[in-house]
Amino acid sequence: MLPSIPKSYPNYPYLTRSESERFRIWLEEENSQLTLLDKAIATIAYYTGLRGTDILALRPENIDWEKETIHLVQSKTGIEHSLPMSAIVGNSIWDYLVHERPGCSTEKMIFVNGNRPYNKISSIWDHLKNVFNEAGVRKEGGRTGVRIFRHHLATALLGGRIPSPVISSILGHTSPESIHPYVDADLEHLRECSLSIENYPVAKEVFDL
């Protein structure tokens, strides 16, 4: 007899424009303390919105250098997913493979740790945190995990008026409703829906709070 309660989503602490720009600049900065591994992982997360588990599971056969695409089976859904690979993403992976990845590693994954026996990396948080620290972003605290880049890509596309089905296909969503949590951070378009309160009597003290 009780009415259904709509499903709610918590607002995610998205990247601001200035944070995003500083992070992006340091991905391309040559005179930094970042490793090529740090840059490759962070670049993929920033530009593709791939989940952390899918980034760590990438193998050479997932990269089509000629067609400039990344094709994989998503770890969360088990569904195949293809997305375009921009030049900056491809270059970051290539630089890591050629100049930094241990050649003696027998690990099949692209990304391996820097210590023998050069096994698959278990977490990408440290590598993302290195970029945040180098860029001076969120050093005092705040979310710095891989999910924030997935959220950032979705909200940026929404801000550019990209249709929701296209965004869902880029992020590998299985349900169109999966885009809903990102809408709350599309501030520019939310402002267009706001109503003026100039005709309502509001005490000045309210705005001083």
Side-chain angles (χ1 to χ4, degrees):
M1 299 295 292
L2 295 175
S4 59
I5 301 176
K7 187 175 181 180
S8 61
Y9 303 91
N11 286 342
Y12 200 79
Y14 59 91
L15 283 175
T16 65
R17 287 186 179 181
S18 61
E19 288 177 331
S20 171
E21 183 64 13
R22 284 156 59 190
F23 192 93
R24 183 194 64 78
I25 289 174
W26 277 94
L27 288 178
E28 303 174 25
E29 175 60 49
E30 296 182 359
N31 299 318
S32 72
Q33 300 301 313
L34 298 172
T35 65
L36 294 177
L37 177 59
D38 292 336
K39 289 185 175 183
I41 287 177
T43 299
I44 295 173
Y46 182 87
Y47 285 100
T48 70
L50 280 176
R51 298 181 179 91
T53 51
D54 291 333
I55 294 176
L56 294 182
L58 286 175
R59 300 188 178 200
E61 56 264 31
N62 296 129
I63 310 296
D64 190 324
W65 297 102
E66 292 186 0
K67 296 182 179 179
E68 298 182 339
T69 59
I70 298 175
H71 182 82
L72 52 89
V73 176
Q74 297 179 96
S75 58
K76 182 177 180 179
T77 64
I79 296 176
E80 292 188 4
H81 181 44
S82 293
L83 66 161
M85 181 177 64
S86 63
I88 190 170
V89 171
N91 289 341
S92 68
I93 298 173
W94 182 264
D95 287 342
Y96 167 71
L97 289 173
V98 174
H99 302 295
E100 191 173 280
R101 189 183 192 278
C104 56
S105 174
T106 59
E107 178 59 60
K108 295 182 179 180
M109 307 303 177
I110 289 178
F111 299 117
V112 298
N113 58 43
N115 302 314
R116 292 180 183 277
Y118 307 123
N119 293 324
K120 171 188 174 183
I121 296 174
S122 59
S123 172
I124 69 174
W125 184 84
D126 287 337
H127 301 284
L128 296 178
K129 187 64 176 177
N130 288 341
V131 184
F132 273 108
N133 288 338
E134 195 79 4
V137 176
R138 303 199 174 188
K139 295 183 70 173
E140 305 302 323
R143 291 290 186 93
T144 56
V146 67
R147 185 184 170 194
I148 200 169
F149 299 105
R150 189 172 175 83
H151 193 280
H152 173 69
L153 178 61
T155 53
L157 293 174
L158 281 169
R161 299 185 183 276
I162 303 301
S164 296
V166 176
I167 300 175
S168 290
S169 67
I170 292 174
L171 296 178
H173 289 159
T174 57
S175 170
E177 296 181 355
S178 298
I179 199 69
H180 291 174
Y182 305 111
V183 176
D184 294 337
D186 185 11
L187 298 182
E188 295 301 321
H189 290 151
L190 287 177
R191 288 192 181 101
E192 296 176 4
C193 302
S194 63
L195 300 176
S196 173
I197 62 172
E198 62 181 4
N199 295 324
Y200 295 88
V202 179
K204 179 179 180 300
E205 291 76 13
V206 173
F207 298 102
D208 294 333
L209 294 178

